[in-house]
Every structure is written in C-alpha cells, then in structure tokens.
Amino acid sequence: MAPFDIAVNLGAGAYYFIYLPIGFAFGFILESSGFGDSRQLAAQFYFRELRVLKVMFTAIIVAMTLIFWSTALGLLDYDMIWVNPTYLWPGIAGGLIMGVGFILGGYCPGTSLVSVATLKIDGMFFLLGLVAGVVLFGETVSYIDAFWHSSDMGTFTLPELLHLETGVVVFLVVCLALVMFIGFEWLRGRLYGSSR
Amino acid sequence: MKRHLDLRVPGAVALLLAAAGLAWHGQPDIAQKWDLLAPEFTQQLTEREVYIDPGELLQLMNNDYIDLLIFDVRNESDWNQFHLVDAEHINLAELPAQRDRLLSLPENAVLVVVSNDEMLATEAWQHLMVIARPNAYILAGGLNLWLNIYGVPEEEVAGHGKANLARPDGTLRHRFTLSLGNRHAAARPDEHRTAPRAYTAKVKLLKKIVKAGGCS
C-alpha cells in the first residue's frame, strides 16, 4: 500500500532522480497554461483572466478525488501522507502578504521560476526579490517567534472542521469549484462583456 | 475552421460523479484499514517480533538515552489499582487523537503498549500501526506477568493480595484491596535489586544511540 518509501526501495540515487520528471512535468504544465506571463496571472485578480483559478482549482479537486478514492480502495494510506499543520493567524497573515505580492509582482514563487526559465526579465527580478525576502525572513523570524508558532491547531482538515465524512467533503468541494467556475465566468461576462 | 473538442462539460460531470461515488462509498475505518495493512504487519505479531519481555521493558525504563512512552490501554478501574510509573492511560478510542504526537516522535522514541494480558494491547498496537506506525511494542504477558515477576510478597499487607489465576483472560489477576496506582513498588522496580532475566532483546531503534558526549 502506498506511500512507498522510495529511498529504501530504489536507493538514494533513484530517489533524487524521481524529482526530475515530476519537476519537468510540473514546469511544462505551468508554462503551457500560460503561468509564465505575469500579465495573465495578475489579470486573475481583476476577473479578466480566470485560467489560474481554473487550472489550480481543477488540479486540487482532481488530486483530492484521486487521493481519497485511492484510500477508499486500499491503495493508499492517507494517514502516512504529510499534511501541513495549521497555524491559523500566521497562516492568514502569510496568505495576505503573499496575495499582495502576487498582485503587485504578477507571480507566485513557482510561476516566477517558470518565467525565469523562459528568460523573462520581470520574472528574474521577482526571483531576486523572492530570494532576498526568504533570507530576510530567515534572519528575522526569531523576533516574531511567539506569533509564528501561535494558534497551533495541529493537522486540521475540512472534515474535522465541518464534522462531515471525508467523501461528503470531497463532493462539496468539487461542487464549490464547479459553481465558482461558472459564477466567475458569468461575473467576467458582466464586467468585460465577453465570455470564453 | 478547426474545432477544438470541448471536454469541459464531460470532465466536470465525470469529476462530479466520481466525487458523489466517493461520498457514497466512504472511507475505511480503523478495522478495515487494519485488514488492508494486515499482510504487512501480521508476521510481526505471529512471530512475536514486537512482544517484549518484562525484563527488556525494565531496561528501557532505566535507559536515559531512550524516549520511552508507555501507553496503558486498560480500563480506569484496573489503571487505578496499579500502573507503571510514567505510563499514560489512553483507551483505544483516544488513540487517533495521538496521531500528530506520534508522527513527531524523535528517532530514539520507543512506545510500549501494556494491558492486563496481551489481547487488548495487541488490538491497540494494530490501531497504532493504522494511525501512525510508530516504533511500538507490546509488553509480553501484560501487567499480570509483570506483577508475577516484580510484585514482591511483602506487599500483601499493603493492598496487594495473592494472584487469582482462575480469573479470565484480559482481567487483572492480581487482587488489590487498595487503589495503589503507581505507588506500588512494582510500578518501577529497582533494576539493580531484581534478579536479572534472560530474554531476547527485540526493540530496534530508528536511530543508533551514540553513548558518548563532547567530541568523542
């Protein structure tokens, strides 16, 4: 039953090389979806361009459905998958900072790497700023340690929040995503008078 | 003009049906998960690879290099009558709540599950393997065997009566007239005052402990 310990089963060399095709596929999909262009990414926030929402949310709901069907069929042990613990207020603050950075800069960390791979100058400067921000944060996080580790909720997922079966939550999230896709398309048509 | 095949609607319908099917099918509970994991772990039980001798547990209790956790999964009445020093009283239903803690245990951590005999502890061990797969073991013979070995006769006057071997499996066969908890001498026997036991060591650490300090 998955997840398999690849480092043990295949050895350290194969373990590292598995990341190469995964990374290649991820970068390929991002670039071919147009995620290497900051103008298209930033347009998401003005409802002119919905591909970020559609591609990302589709990836999330497809992966989610596959993961939980795999656990339901006994192919995957979900309990052995790492789920990030929730630190509520630091998470909200971090999300706001990243969101503002995304709107202003036109990239998130991953898409800035995609843009650099296609030699976009704005992506290169964004990446420089990103590295500087990472270093600055790493050097100063000890000063905000109390906040950084506050509101620790452990591994907290939607089924626990809603007190519903995991499968029901998956169904509701898929419904939510589809309603959002339709709703935002409608909104875009109202705002800009076109529909794609 | 070239027309693209629009798969958005069929894709959305397929995903919706898959999600609805998942909601109907549900996720496996602990017993069903154990059935799926059993081929991986049953050998450890049948070969008794995870049943440790009381002598090994006593050695672990006195080993400062090991982060030892003892989960006592018996009922509250038995727990109140007698339990080991530093043991935690956790029943089977409470084990899933320990998941985050178990997943973040250090590599030198060893978890030992105890019950009156082995039956309940074995069930708890199966739950633990489903929940977090910690480096966990079961006290062989349970606390009944532990008390047979380390419960000294003088304590008959201090609330610990003679063992009643006629009592059924799974129950505490040692009779207590007082709730001694961990105040009983056998709750943490003095390793140097007990007769050494011959046993096969079974505990394997995830990380080799280096018993040295400084730069050596």
Side-chain angles (χ1 to χ4, degrees):
Chain A
M1 184 189 288
F4 305 111
D5 194 335
I6 300 167
V8 171
N9 293 329
L10 299 179
Y15 174 69
Y16 288 121
F17 271 98
I18 277 179
Y19 291 107
L20 203 61
I22 293 174
F24 176 83
F26 190 62
F28 185 87
I29 296 294
L30 286 182
E31 173 59 25
S32 60
S33 301
F35 284 16
D37 186 336
S38 59
R39 288 162 298 186
Q40 287 187 357
L41 294 172
Q44 167 68 51
F45 296 98
Y46 304 97
F47 303 112
R48 277 203 303 268
E49 173 61 60
L50 298 176
R51 71 177 68 187
V52 174
L53 176 80
K54 288 178 180 174
V55 171
M56 287 300 185
F57 223 134
T58 302
I60 289 168
I61 58 178
V62 168
M64 178 180 64
T65 307
L66 289 175
I67 284 173
F68 288 109
W69 258 118
S70 300
T71 60
L73 297 175
L75 302 173
L76 172 71
D77 187 357
Y78 174 73
D79 287 325
M80 298 312 293
I81 296 178
W82 170 254
V83 178
N84 276 327
T86 300
Y87 296 89
L88 186 64
W89 292 112
I92 290 171
L96 283 172
I97 292 168
M98 182 172 155
V100 170
F102 200 160
I103 296 174
L104 293 178
Y107 291 111
C108 69
T111 53
S112 69
L113 288 170
V114 173
S115 70
V116 170
T118 49
L119 303 178
K120 291 201 171 58
I121 294 169
D122 60 346
M124 292 177 192
F125 276 90
F126 189 94
L127 187 62
L128 280 176
L130 180 80
V131 171
V134 168
V135 171
L136 181 67
F137 176 79
E139 293 299 319
T140 57
V141 67
S142 57
Y143 297 111
I144 55 163
D145 190 64
F147 175 69
W148 181 239
H149 289 106
S150 65
S151 53
D152 179 7
M153 298 166 73
T155 304
F156 192 69
T157 55
L158 283 176
E160 292 163 53
L161 175 69
L162 301 173
H163 300 289
L164 290 171
E165 284 288 320
T166 303
V168 175
V169 172
V170 169
F171 178 70
L172 291 176
V173 173
V174 169
C175 290
L176 172 75
L178 296 178
V179 168
M180 274 174 57
F181 294 164
I182 295 167
F184 279 117
E185 279 292 359
W186 176 82
L187 185 63
R188 190 176 64 145
R190 295 278 292 183
L191 289 174
Y192 301 104
S194 65
S195 177
R196 271 194 295 183
Chain B
M1 190 173 125
K2 189 179 174 185
R3 289 191 64 188
H4 290 284
L5 183 62
D6 192 345
L7 293 173
R8 285 181 297 181
V9 174
V13 171
L15 198 56
L16 204 56
L17 288 175
L22 188 64
W24 172 78
H25 187 280
Q27 295 290 300
D29 59 20
I30 286 182
Q32 289 166 324
K33 278 187 185 173
W34 172 252
D35 288 341
L36 294 166
L37 289 172
E40 201 176 325
F41 292 105
T42 301
Q43 187 190 346
Q44 293 182 36
L45 294 175
T46 53
E47 302 289 326
R48 296 189 64 80
E49 293 168 8
V50 291
Y51 291 92
I52 63 167
D53 187 85
E56 187 167 13
L57 176 56
L58 182 59
Q59 186 268 323
L60 291 173
M61 289 168 84
N62 288 282
N63 188 338
D64 293 336
Y65 293 94
I66 286 177
D67 190 352
L68 177 67
L69 285 88
I70 303 172
F71 281 6
D72 190 325
V73 294
R74 300 173 301 153
N75 63 42
E76 193 169 352
S77 166
D78 289 350
W79 162 266
N80 287 337
Q81 288 185 49
F82 171 77
H83 60 257
L84 301 175
V85 168
D86 294 333
E88 298 174 52
H89 185 225
I90 297 175
N91 63 43
L92 261 58
E94 292 167 337
L95 286 175
Q98 299 289 322
R99 180 175 178 270
D100 282 356
R101 179 185 170 204
L102 295 174
L103 288 174
S104 59
L105 287 176
E107 289 179 314
N108 65 334
V110 174
L111 170 58
V112 179
V113 190
V114 302
S115 62
N116 287 327
D117 287 319
E118 293 177 355
M119 206 163 46
L120 195 60
T122 301
E123 194 179 342
W125 186 88
Q126 292 172 347
H127 284 213
L128 288 169
M129 291 304 111
V130 169
I131 295 161
R133 302 190 197 179
N135 190 19
Y137 299 85
I138 299 161
L139 177 62
L143 290 171
N144 281 322
L145 178 59
W146 180 275
L147 284 165
N148 289 348
I149 299 166
Y150 300 117
V152 289
E154 300 92 88
E155 283 155 9
E156 286 185 18
V157 292
H160 182 180
K162 282 187 176 174
N164 179 1
L165 299 179
R167 296 198 70 190
D169 285 349
T171 57
L172 190 59
R173 294 200 180 89
H174 290 255
R175 190 171 58 83
F176 289 88
T177 54
L178 297 170
S179 289
L180 295 175
N182 63 7
R183 289 169 293 159
H184 194 293
R188 183 163 187 155
D190 187 336
E191 193 181 19
H192 304 293
R193 292 178 139 189
T194 57
R197 283 176 62 78
Y199 61 84
T200 306
K202 293 179 179 172
V203 170
K204 292 172 189 161
L205 292 178
L206 300 179
K207 181 183 178 185
K208 191 176 178 185
I209 302 298
V210 180
K211 291 188 178 180
C215 301
S216 56

